[in-house]
Amino acid sequence: MNAVSIRPADEMRDLYRELILDHARNPRHFHKLDAATHTAEGINPLCGDKLRLYVAVDDNDVITAAAFEGSGCAISVASASLLTDLVTGLSKQQALDCFAEVTGRLTAPDEYESRDIGVNLDKIRALDGVRDYPSRVKCATLAWHALSSAVRGQSDTVSTE
Ligand code: ZN
């Protein structure tokens, strides 16, 4: 009989909740980025989240800096904060792969098959918990849609509606 009574799943969930709260309270890279080469705004009317994402891309298509500003709920801000941490140092293509991974896992968890994109996604697994709250999925994916739009050089404003 196992003497240790722990419930790893719940513990991980708590850790992830802490990570989300930490990023929501102390968002990383929360400022305008004057050196930005690409930018896009994401709006989620359902919740009132409004974020502008900035990325600086060098001549080799590598993202050298990422930042955001705006206002939104804890989930949207934490997600944007995690995003800016993650994509700095990645290529544009890797950033788009991350976008596909995050949105796939959150919006179609049963159909989406994760693949190895050569990026450590451990931290953004914290967002997976949002799947339990469908109304918050748009909050969590908002910054990622803005990232995709910015990197592709598409429309300046993306809305979840
Ligand atoms: Zn929200």
Side-chain angles (χ1 to χ4, degrees):
M1 198 177 140
N2 192 343
V4 183
S5 174
I6 54 168
R7 301 172 63 192
D10 284 356
E11 290 200 345
M12 288 310 287
R13 195 165 288 200
D14 286 346
L15 284 176
Y16 286 152
R17 189 179 298 134
E18 284 303 310
L19 187 68
I20 295 278
L21 286 174
D22 177 41
H23 276 265
R25 288 182 187 130
N26 308 295
R28 321 297 198 266
H29 315 286
F30 187 65
H31 53 81
K32 188 171 188 282
L33 186 65
D34 288 329
T37 54
H38 299 64
T39 178
E41 184 175 59
I43 297 172
N44 176 14
L46 276 185
C47 182
D49 309 317
K50 192 175 176 191
L51 303 171
R52 175 162 289 279
L53 188 79
Y54 304 95
V55 289
V57 179
D58 72 9
D59 293 342
N60 298 314
D61 274 353
V62 171
I63 296 172
T64 55
F68 74 106
E69 59 182 0
S71 62
C73 66
I75 300 280
S76 66
V77 171
S79 183
S81 176
L82 287 162
L83 179 159
T84 53
D85 253 0
L86 183 76
V87 301
T88 302
L90 301 186
S91 70
K92 278 166 72 173
Q93 185 55 53
Q94 282 176 314
L96 291 173
D97 288 344
C98 290
F99 160 76
E101 190 74 15
V102 170
T103 54
R105 275 166 33 177
L106 288 182
T107 61
D110 295 333
E111 296 98 78
Y112 187 78
E113 282 189 36
S114 284
R115 53 195 190 89
D116 184 4
I117 58 173
V119 178
N120 185 337
L121 297 173
D122 281 354
K123 271 194 178 175
I124 57 170
R125 281 181 207 289
L127 297 172
D128 286 355
V130 174
R131 286 192 296 228
D132 296 337
Y133 308 94
S135 65
R136 310 315 295 273
V137 166
K138 285 176 179 171
C139 303
T141 56
L142 182 64
W144 299 87
H145 283 287
L147 171 73
S148 167
S149 185
V151 166
R152 291 188 166 108
Q154 291 172 337
S155 73
D156 186 53
T157 302
V158 286
S159 175
T160 56
E161 297 304 306

